[in-house]
């Protein structure tokens, strides 16, 4: 944020959107208290050298007690919004069950949610929540169109990725097949797939170099024919997913940690 703040000096504040996150400060460090959220926003504004953020995100809500999320953290975001230090508020979340529950239960009006990676060539399951988000007036930021590294041949997925080696090999074989058949690179198709969906106003991509930015720009300016995108999606959809559904049933999240007899029965089946 300090480096970014130096880069933004002299640029008209109306010429860019600026987003930041609160709540998670390390691999296992979460603080969703109202005071820490307030302090974190002030620290970010100071480092960035601006008076307000455009978007403030409560990060990775699935790992925190739902009572704290709903009754302390989200109201704290609303207070930040009312103070004028952010224009819009929302949260980020991976499991769709949790995302849906918070959207339905939030005591404050949410402006935006970040979901990943549930609208990709491999998995477009967030489509089922499009009507709910539209009803609530919530903008969707669809993150990780490359499925956290699965849909690229340039580098392996990160070490924290939940895909098994067997599934990774299967995915790589599938990529080779579709690239040969459709004579295109998987990265181009993967990036174009979510950006052509009308219900997704924003697609979020992590970039670590100018070359990657220029590649993304080139893909968007010179789109692949839509029938190729549809064809690749048809061949890859749900062949490999980011995380086995079993993971959710085993209670790895605070929200989903209390299993019922019915859950265990389904799991055994």
């Amino acid at each position: 944020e300090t480096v970014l703040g130096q880069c933004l000096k002299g640029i008209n504040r109306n010429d860019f959107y600026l987003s930041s996150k609160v709540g998670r400060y390390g691999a296992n460090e979460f603080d969703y208290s109202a005071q820490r959220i307030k302090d974190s926003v002030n620290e970010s504004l100071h480092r960035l050298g601006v008076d307000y953020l455009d978007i403030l995100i409560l990060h990775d809500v699935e790992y925190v007690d739902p009572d704290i999320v709903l009754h302390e953290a989200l109201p704290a975001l609303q207070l930040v919004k009312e103070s004028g230090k952010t224009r819009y508020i929302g949260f980020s979340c991976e499991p769709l069950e949790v995302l849906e529950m918070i959207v339905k239960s939030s005591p404050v009006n949410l402006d935006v949610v970040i979901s990943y990676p549930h609208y990709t060539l491999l998995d477009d399951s967030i489509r089922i929540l499009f009507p709910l988000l539209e009803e609530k007036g919530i903008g969707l930021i669809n993150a990780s169109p490359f499925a956290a590294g699965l849909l690229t041949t340039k580098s392996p997925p990160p070490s924290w990725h939940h895909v098994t080696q067997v599934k990774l090999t299967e995915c790589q074989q599938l990529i080779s097949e579709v690239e040969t058949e459709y004579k295109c690179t998987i990265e181009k198709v993967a990036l174009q797939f979510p950006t052509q969906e009308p219900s997704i106003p924003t697609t979020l991509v992590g970039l670590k170099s100018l070359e990657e930015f220029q590649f993304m720009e080139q893909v968007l300016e010179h789109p692949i024919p839509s029938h190729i995108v549809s064809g690749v999606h048809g061949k890859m959809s749900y062949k490999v997913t980011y995380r086995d559904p079993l993971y959710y049933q085993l209670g790895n999240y605070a929200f989903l940690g209390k299993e019922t007899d019915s859950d265990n029965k389904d799991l055994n089946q």
Side-chain angles (χ1 to χ4, degrees):
E1 285 183 335
T2 301
V3 172
L4 182 57
Q6 294 171 352
C7 296
L8 293 175
K9 286 181 179 178
I11 300 177
N12 189 317
R13 181 63 183 86
N14 295 322
D15 287 347
F16 57 88
Y17 286 94
L18 194 57
S19 175
S20 191
K21 296 177 180 178
V22 293
R24 187 171 191 173
Y25 304 98
N28 298 299
E29 184 182 349
F30 293 84
D31 190 339
Y32 272 39
S33 67
Q35 186 59 52
R36 183 68 187 100
I37 288 172
K38 178 181 177 181
D39 292 343
S40 182
V41 170
N42 288 332
E43 291 163 6
S44 289
L45 293 177
H46 177 72
R47 287 190 289 259
L48 291 164
V50 297
D51 297 324
Y52 68 92
L53 299 167
D54 294 291
I55 303 172
L56 181 62
I57 294 294
L58 188 64
H59 192 32
D60 284 350
V61 297
E62 63 266 35
Y63 295 101
V64 178
D65 186 291
D67 287 336
I68 296 175
V69 173
L70 293 170
H71 304 303
E72 182 165 7
L74 289 179
L77 261 64
Q78 178 63 28
L79 291 176
V80 174
K81 183 178 179 180
E82 292 173 359
S83 74
K85 292 184 178 180
T86 187
R87 297 170 62 202
Y88 307 110
I89 59 173
F91 66 91
S92 66
C93 178
E94 191 245 304
L96 296 182
E97 301 94 326
V98 180
L99 188 149
E100 180 181 16
M101 188 277 287
I102 297 181
V103 166
K104 290 181 175 178
S105 306
S106 175
V108 304
N109 292 326
L110 299 167
D111 302 302
V112 63
V113 293
I114 296 179
S115 169
Y116 75 98
H118 294 302
Y119 200 90
T120 73
L121 291 170
L122 296 170
D123 174 359
D124 62 358
S125 53
I126 197 170
R127 181 182 291 278
I128 197 172
L129 296 183
F130 285 173
L132 174 64
L133 297 176
E134 183 176 2
E135 174 194 337
K136 296 285 187 179
I138 296 174
L140 172 62
I141 296 178
N142 175 56
S144 192
F146 302 116
L150 281 180
L151 293 172
T152 178
T153 59
K154 299 183 183 303
S155 59
S159 59
W160 47 261
H161 208 294
H162 303 287
V163 69
T164 64
Q165 184 58 48
V166 171
K167 286 293 184 181
L168 177 58
T169 301
E170 183 181 333
C171 186
Q172 291 170 338
Q173 178 61 36
L174 196 56
I175 288 172
S176 178
E177 291 173 6
V178 297
E179 286 187 333
T180 299
E181 179 177 351
Y182 290 97
K183 296 179 175 57
C184 62
T185 64
I186 194 65
E187 291 85 3
K188 289 184 177 181
V189 187
L191 183 58
Q192 190 173 321
F193 176 66
T195 59
Q196 66 183 19
E197 167 54 53
S199 295
I200 299 179
T202 301
T203 293
L204 177 62
V205 184
L207 302 171
K208 63 179 182 290
S209 69
L210 181 59
E211 288 73 24
E212 289 186 356
F213 176 82
Q214 291 168 337
F215 166 79
M216 180 180 69
E217 189 177 38
Q218 188 260 341
V219 169
L220 297 178
E221 290 181 351
H222 304 282
I224 297 168
S226 58
H227 73 274
I228 292 181
V229 178
S230 298
V232 174
H233 176 230
K235 285 187 174 292
M236 301 196 72
S237 183
Y238 294 98
K239 298 296 192 299
V240 180
T241 53
Y242 169 72
R243 197 196 303 274
D244 193 307
L246 179 68
Y247 188 87
Y248 301 123
Q249 294 290 343
L250 293 177
N252 284 274
Y253 292 116
F255 275 97
L256 305 175
K258 298 178 180 178
E259 294 177 341
T260 64
D261 291 338
S262 175
D263 292 331
N264 290 325
K265 190 179 297 183
D266 292 340
L267 187 59
N268 288 333
Q269 279 187 325

